[in-house]
């Protein structure tokens, strides 16, 4: 009984506390326009804060993975402090921008606070509980990591209505006050997670001569092409997911469901979380966890092709069948986006063992960093340069641009499928530490 309690108290619960806090980074679209209006800059200029946050999430995970491997208590403490300070700093620079309209200092301060400082908290907080969960749930690693990473995906669904309610009820200055309140709440949640997070008793880290030697030696246990394939298909899945998800709101408006955009966003966030848990738990029953990625890419390709061939975005308004196709695309992409995240650490552990998994997982998350800079920006560039904005269902939208985004993502998904089929080496699960 004590061991069962420890699995949840020392592994799952602190993981959820950490991931449900840092996962609110995806709530950015809720308040980005309010920030832009309050400080006197365009929404496009402010949007870079989110891109920087995802970039530094991946890069901090890549560079601090060794620290997480060595000391999860130090890394989780760093995560709590930097995430809360970054959020509070964002609130301060929003306040400053409101009193000094069009101030470059306020914009740069938001980039540094939300992007760089919070980004460090995101990367270390994301990594800290993952290996611990896999150690506690050795027979169901996918279920365990899926549960935690689902918290990251579900955070948007949980926090979005709360944030929107705060913005609606706190008046004109509510935008920066909200960040102060959230900084305090998430700091408490993450500190509780930090204090109770612990690895199973008796686990001894394998000894290596140095962090670099250990990682390189572990990666050399398989052809390097296999790891490159994992990194690239992870990068492509995130890039395509962000490209479609970033245009989700306007696509929904194009098919005449603008009044339900908030509800659909919440449902898609639940699919994101469900994909993280469902795909990873399902993969526990498979001989080769890479099969899950083949399924994710196949579903994504089929759903995008259906919308492309039916021109569902342009012709969807008033057509129930086409609306269903478009919504199915949005929900499938969200589920696959989440499932791609939750299966990476367990796929890596199946190939390379548990010895350096936090460090290797951290390096692999650099794919997330670069996808954070390319996914949204690629979609925005296509929408702004292909087709034209016309009146659709009462809003200015660019159906041809959104369709072109789907063409590009379909091609990329096909490339990822080829990587999964031909480059990532099939392998039986490694049970022992590498």
């Amino acid at each position: 009984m004590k061991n069962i309690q420890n699995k949840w108290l020392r592994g799952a619960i602190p993981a959820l506390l950490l991931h449900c806090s840092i996962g609110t980074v995806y709530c950015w679209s809720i308040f980005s326009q309010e920030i832009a209006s309050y400080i006197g800059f365009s929404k496009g200029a402010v949007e870079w804060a989110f891109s920087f946050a995802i970039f530094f999430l991946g890069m901090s995970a890549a560079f601090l993975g060794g620290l997480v491997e060595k000391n999860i208590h130090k890394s989780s403490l760093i995560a709590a402090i930097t995430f809360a300070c970054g959020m509070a700093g964002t609130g301060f620079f929003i306040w400053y921008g409101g009193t000094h309209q069009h101030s470059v200092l306020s914009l740069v301060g938001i980039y540094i606070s939300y992007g760089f400082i919070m980004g460090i908290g995101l990367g270390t907080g994301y990594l800290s509980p993952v290996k611990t969960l896999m150690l506690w749930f050795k027979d169901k690693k996918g279920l365990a990591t899926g549960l935690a990473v689902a918290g990251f995906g579900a955070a948007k669904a949980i926090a979005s209505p709360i944030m929107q309610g705060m913005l609606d009820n706190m008046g004109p200055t509510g935008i920066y006050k909200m960040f102060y309140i959230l900084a305090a709440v998430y700091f408490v949640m993450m500190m509780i997670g930090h204090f109770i997070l612990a690895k199973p008793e008796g686990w001894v880290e394998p000894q290596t001569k140095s962090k670099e030697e250990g990682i390189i030696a572990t990666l050399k246990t398989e052809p390097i092409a296999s790891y490159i394939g994992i990194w690239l298909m992870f990068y492509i899945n995130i890039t395509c997911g962000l490209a479609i998800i970033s245009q989700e709101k306007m696509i929904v408006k194009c098919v005449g469901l603008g009044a339900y955009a908030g509800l659909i966003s919440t449902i898609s966030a639940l699919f994101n979380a469900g994909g993280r848990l469902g795909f990873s738990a399902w993969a526990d029953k498979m001989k080769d966890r890479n099969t899950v990625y083949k399924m994710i890419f196949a579903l994504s390709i089929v759903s995008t092709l259906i919308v492309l061939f039916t021109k569902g975005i342009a012709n969807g308004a008033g057509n129930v069948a086409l609306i269903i196709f478009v919504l199915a695309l949005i929900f499938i992409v969200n589920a696959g986006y989440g499932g791609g995240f939750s299966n990476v650490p367990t796929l890596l552990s199946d190939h390379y063992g548990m010895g350096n998994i936090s460090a290797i997982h951290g390096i692999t998350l650099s794919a997330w960093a670069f996808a954070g800079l390319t996914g949204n920006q690629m979609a925005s560039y296509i929408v702004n340069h292909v087709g034209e904005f016309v009146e659709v269902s009462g809003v200015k939208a660019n159906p041809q641009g959104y369709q072109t985004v789907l063409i590009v993502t379909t091609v990329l998904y096909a490339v990822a499928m080829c990587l999964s089929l031909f480059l990532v080496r099939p392998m039986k699960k490694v049970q022992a530490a590498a």
Side-chain angles (χ1 to χ4, degrees):
M1 179 63 72
K2 181 180 178 182
N3 189 47
I4 294 173
Q5 290 175 340
N6 282 346
K7 283 184 178 182
W8 297 100
L9 181 62
R10 295 298 197 178
I13 292 174
L16 285 171
L17 286 169
L18 288 166
H19 277 212
C20 282
S21 298
I22 62 176
T24 53
V25 66
Y26 279 123
C27 294
W28 179 256
S29 60
I30 301 295
F31 44 73
S32 57
Q33 183 60 63
E34 283 78 1
I35 293 174
S37 301
Y38 195 78
I39 67 175
F41 280 92
S42 69
K43 187 173 183 288
V46 170
E47 286 289 351
W48 278 99
F50 175 78
S51 296
F52 289 144
I54 300 302
F55 176 76
F56 285 110
L57 183 162
M59 296 312 292
S60 64
F63 284 101
L64 296 176
L67 171 65
V68 177
E69 194 76 62
K70 185 178 179 181
N71 192 328
I72 57 170
H73 288 107
K74 185 179 290 185
S75 63
S76 59
L77 178 61
I78 290 172
I81 293 172
T82 52
F83 185 79
C85 287
M87 187 158 279
T90 302
F92 171 79
F93 283 107
I94 294 171
W95 166 81
Y96 183 85
T99 57
H100 300 78
Q101 283 279 303
H102 311 292
S103 169
V104 175
L105 177 61
S106 68
L107 186 63
V108 173
I110 292 171
Y111 289 164
I112 293 172
S113 298
Y114 199 91
F116 175 64
I117 299 174
M118 250 180 68
I120 294 173
L122 290 167
T124 52
Y126 190 90
L127 275 183
S128 291
V130 172
K131 179 175 179 176
T132 303
L133 279 169
M134 288 194 286
L135 292 174
W136 277 115
F137 296 82
K138 290 182 179 180
D139 297 330
K140 295 183 178 180
K141 294 186 293 185
L143 174 64
T145 56
L147 179 65
V149 180
F152 193 95
K156 179 182 177 182
I158 297 168
S160 291
I162 296 172
M163 291 181 178
Q164 190 62 60
M166 292 172 74
L167 291 174
D168 293 341
N169 293 289
M170 292 176 67
T173 60
I175 184 61
Y176 72 81
K177 291 177 181 177
M178 178 185 74
F179 276 90
Y180 293 151
I181 294 169
L182 293 176
V185 171
Y186 292 133
F187 179 72
V188 172
M189 287 174 60
M190 294 180 75
M191 285 301 292
I192 293 172
H194 157 71
F195 283 122
I196 63 177
L197 182 67
K199 292 179 181 178
E201 291 181 14
W203 169 257
V204 179
E205 295 291 346
Q207 297 297 313
T208 56
K209 293 180 180 179
S210 69
K211 179 187 76 174
E212 291 77 13
E213 268 189 53
I215 295 170
I216 293 170
T218 302
L219 290 176
K220 283 183 176 179
T221 59
E222 285 199 23
I224 194 64
S226 187
Y227 177 75
I228 292 173
I230 292 172
W231 193 98
L232 286 173
M233 70 182 192
F234 183 45
Y235 165 78
I236 291 172
N237 190 51
I238 302 169
T239 297
C240 292
L242 287 174
I244 295 173
I245 292 169
S246 67
Q247 304 303 316
E248 179 182 302
K249 187 174 182 179
M250 290 308 300
I251 290 173
V252 166
K253 288 183 176 180
C254 273
V255 297
L257 298 179
Y260 304 98
L263 175 62
I264 292 170
S265 178
T266 299
I267 295 173
S268 66
L270 293 175
F271 268 88
N272 188 319
R276 293 168 191 254
L277 181 58
F279 278 120
S280 56
W282 195 2
D284 281 335
K285 302 177 181 179
M286 297 177 179
K287 291 182 179 179
D288 183 6
R289 202 176 295 270
N290 186 32
T291 304
V292 165
Y293 286 94
K294 297 182 180 72
M295 294 170 58
I296 288 172
F297 300 140
L299 288 168
S300 300
I301 290 168
V302 170
S303 59
T304 50
L305 285 176
I306 290 173
V307 174
L308 282 172
F309 286 135
T310 60
K311 295 184 178 179
I313 297 175
N315 303 327
N319 188 315
V320 175
L322 296 186
I323 289 174
I324 291 173
F325 292 151
V326 170
L327 291 178
L329 166 66
I330 291 172
F331 297 151
I332 288 170
V333 167
N334 270 278
Y337 178 81
F341 275 105
S342 61
N343 277 283
V344 163
T346 43
L347 177 64
L348 291 169
S349 72
D350 287 352
H351 279 257
Y352 301 106
M354 292 295 293
N356 285 288
I357 190 61
S358 293
I360 294 172
H361 185 203
I363 293 170
T364 308
L365 288 180
S366 63
W368 194 359
F370 292 106
L373 292 179
T374 55
N376 291 27
Q377 303 303 326
M378 177 187 75
S380 295
Y381 182 86
I382 292 172
V383 171
N384 290 329
H385 290 83
V386 178
E388 60 181 349
F389 284 84
V390 295
E391 191 80 17
V392 181
S393 301
V395 297
K396 284 285 186 180
N398 183 0
Q400 185 181 345
Y402 309 136
Q403 293 277 132
T404 305
V405 170
L406 296 189
I407 293 172
V408 174
T409 57
T410 303
V411 172
L412 289 174
Y413 277 131
V415 171
M417 175 67 88
C418 291
L419 292 169
S420 182
L421 286 168
F422 304 116
L423 203 58
V424 179
R425 177 185 173 189
M427 187 173 179
K428 294 180 180 179
K429 297 181 180 182
V430 177
Q431 298 299 333

